[in-house]
Amino acid sequence: MGDVLAGFHAAWEFESDSVLIRYERGIRTPKLFQALGERRVPLSALQGVTLTPGRRGTVVLRAEPRPGADPLLEAAAGQLKEGNDPYRLVLPAERETLAEYYADELRGLLTESGPAEHHLVPAPEAPLHFKAYDAKATFDGAAVQFRWFWTGASSAKWKAGDQSFPVAELSGVEWRSPEVFEGHLRLLLPDATADPPAQPDQDPAAVVFGLGYGPVHESLPFAAAVLAAVRARGPVAAMQTAPARRDPADIAERIRHLGELHRAGLVTDEEFSVKKAELLAEL
C-alpha cells in the first residue's frame, strides 16, 4: 500500500508485508510509546482490524495481533491500560471514511489467525535497565542481573547476594504492572517446585516496584526483551563466565550493611562469615 495514516501520538505506514508504526515524541504522548520509538509489525502477526468510535470526537483504528505474536503483549498479559495499547491509532472523527478505507485494505491482506508458534514482532533491543524499589535490573541480551539496593532490599535478598541469571537458565518472565498492588518482575526458573513462589520481596529472582519505581515504559519493554530472548534461545547450556571484579568501595558498603544485619540478629554468625568471605573474594 505504501501510504501513511497519521493520528494522535502515532502514524501507521502501510507496506506490502507489514505495518510500520512510528510513535511521536512529546509531553502528551504516552511514555511507553516514546520508549518503543517505532515498531514494524508483520502482517502475519495480525488477525484482524477494527474501527470503533472513540472519545471526544475521535475514532479508533486498532490492529488485532495474534496471541503469542508480540512479546510485549505476552509479557503484559492483559494489564496494559487502553491509552498504552500500542496497536490503537486514534484519529479525528472527520477522518473516519479514510480510516475505514485503510481498515478494509488491511483486512484484505491478512491471511493468518489464531496463536502464533513464535514471536513475530521484534522485541525492544538490549541493553536495557530500570530501577526497581529494591534493585537495579539490567539485561545485556544474554543475562539478567539484579543488584540490590541496601535501602530497599530485604534481608533474604542481601543474604543471597546480587543475582545473575543467564537466559538459558530461564523459562519465562512474570510482570505485574507497577500500577497495581504488589507490582513486580519475577524471572521464572525451569526447576521451580510446585510450592507457591515466595513473596517478591523475599525472592532473589524477583524485583519489586513501588511509587516511582519500575514504571511501565521501562519495566515492560525490559520484560518483553527477556521473554523474547528466552523463547528464541536454543538448547544450549549457560556459558560459564568469570565473575566481574567489583568496586572496592561497593564491597566495603555491602560488608558494612551485612554487619548491621548481623548485629540486628537477622544474619547468623555462620551466614555472616560465609557472605563476608564471598564479598571479599570479589575484590
Side-chain angles (χ1 to χ4, degrees), residues 3 16 18 54 69 86 90 133 138 166 219-220 228 238 241 244 246 263 272 281:
D3 296 334
S16 60
S18 62
V90 182
Y133 173 72
T138 61
S219 61
L220 180 56
T241 57
R246 299 288 294 277
R263 288 190 292 274
F272 174 76

Side-chain angles (χ1 to χ4, degrees), residues 67-79 118-119 173 175 220 224 227-228 231:
D70 185 347
L72 190 82
L73 292 195
E74 184 178 353
Q79 299 175 75
H118 55 83
H119 292 149
V173 178
W175 181 80
L220 180 56
L227 181 61
R231 294 281 189 269

